[in-house]
Amino acid sequence: MTTLVLAGGTVWDGSGGAGRVADVVVRDGVVAAVGPGAAASAGDGHRASSSGVPAGVEVVDASGLDVLPGFVDVHAHDDAALFRPGGVAPKTGQGVTTTIVGNCGQGVAPSPTDPDDRSLEDYSRPVLGGFPARRWATFADYVRTLAEGDADGTFGLHAATLVPHAPLRAGVLGFDRRPADGVERSLIAASVGEALDAGALGVSLGLMYAPGDAADRPELVALARECAVRGKLLVAHVRNEADGLRDSIDELASLGRETGAAVHVSHLKVTGPRNVGGMPAIVEHLDALHDDGVDVSADVYPYDAGSTTVASLFPPATADHGVESLLEALRPGTRSRRQVLDGLLEPWAGSTLENQYAAIGPERISAAGFTRPEHAGFEGRPLAEIAEAVGADPREVLADLVLAERGALTVIVFHTDLEGMRTALAWPHTLVGSDGLPRETGTVHPRLYGTFSRVLDEYAGSGPQAVLSRGEAIARMSTRASSRFGLGGTGARAGGGVGAVGGGRAGGALGIAAGAVADLQLVDPGAYADRATYATPRLGPSGLVGLWAAGRRLR
């Protein structure tokens, strides 16, 4: 592999400190040297060419530019996008060199044994997009596929995964929302253990979504133990991010306390008008959990809206058998439809899950992902606006659209306390995750294209919204993320050679330091700006000059 030299740039090494002018020398995908004048050693063993630059050495003049570590997206949904042409371009376009998938308990494996069974894909399509044609008998097989593809550069960035609870549960119980019995629990736990041993970074629970929300405590404890005995993370989209956020965090923390597993809260936020101003108390509670010995962390995306599957707007009973049960419940003229739509107006009795429709109303919920031509004009518009256009009750319109689109819609939900987000981002144990839903057409949330640039451009440094120093923000999005999720930084990684993540990188240097994997980005600080908005979401940041993963140039 060609020796690469980034000469004379300001190196932000991921330690959390300020940048310093230095050269970065890369050999065989690994950082060989960092420091003033390090470029002078780059030609060792190479014969000089007529230009005076040693043969086999590529020199990039980084004067006036910043050299940053590649970013790690700790909360991605690129599970299927990795196998679609251009599927991860939104990530590399914002400097991400490692994507961690399997989040919110959702994933593409294990594949159903019946090749005509599309229940898993129908369930997860609004979040993951279309599934690849390839099938995996076990999730461990999927983990090994990621390691192999990353080793030869197939994906265009590094890919690592958590074990998603829902498809493993569905592989044993189907989509029935009931507690697993002892035998079923053991089968699920054994599949999880096999995947962790194959190199998965931890387990992800989707406790807000069917079928994961039906898991009882013994099942969750069994999964936490699989993590604990291997020193891996238990990650969760908690049950309730509104009125029940503290109780939901306590549920996760109790699993960590009982088993010794380190736990991580996905996309920490407080939602709903009644909870505005509530994040400081949540952060104080998280600090108290730390003081009590619970190893807890979180990730955040820097926006005031979330995005998820349309099925999450409906009561949990409508998901008793996956998407088909939701469609059956909404069938026109039925008693069940009337009950479901009436239930959208008030909190769901007897459920710990939040009713987002009742909390914020159809004015603050936009729909996306339409495929039928007659619905093209509805793309990205609020439900209330769509309902006004067709002259019907928003709930009736919502139900009709779900039926017509076979449940494959996503929603953008403006429910988050933005000041609370800043408070959560400032918490010392917070990382950054995009939670972007990778769809190549239609309206998407801007976080898919702009999460990391938004943090760096708006919430880091000295601006009026900043809550982190620039060096700290870079560390949170690179070295701290790698460390927390078990991704080391040396060239010898578990699961393969240079570039193979699979089981995570073996321990060693992180960031931009000798011996670290050369995941690097070159940024023009004068031109760098976040550009993705709700109106124009498919724009990466300006000012990203170059991107390398394990020394391979991506952009």
Side-chain angles (χ1 to χ4, degrees), residues 231-254:
K232 299 195 176 186
L233 272 179
L234 179 66
V235 180
H237 180 142
V238 297
R239 292 187 195 274
N240 190 302
E241 296 172 326
D243 300 358
L245 177 58
R246 176 167 170 157
D247 288 344
S248 297
I249 289 173
D250 281 345
E251 177 186 27
L252 178 61
S254 72

Side-chain angles (χ1 to χ4, degrees), residues 86-112:
V88 296
K91 297 301 175 63
T92 57
Q94 54 184 307
V96 171
T97 53
T98 299
T99 184
I100 298 177
V101 302
N103 281 285
C104 293
Q106 300 204 35
V108 298
S111 307

Side-chain angles (χ1 to χ4, degrees), residues 168-169 172-173 180 184-192 219 223:
L168 271 68
R169 190 176 208 272
V172 175
L173 284 79
E184 292 165 335
R185 191 161 58 242
S186 296
L187 289 172
I188 297 168
S191 295
V192 166
E219 182 176 342
L223 300 180

Side-chain angles (χ1 to χ4, degrees), residues 61-96:
D61 182 3
S63 302
L65 303 178
D66 287 349
V67 184
L68 279 57
F71 294 143
V72 178
D73 189 349
V74 302
H75 191 103
H77 290 292
D78 299 322
D79 313 57
L82 288 163
F83 300 88
R84 300 196 296 262
V88 296
K91 297 301 175 63
T92 57
Q94 54 184 307
V96 171

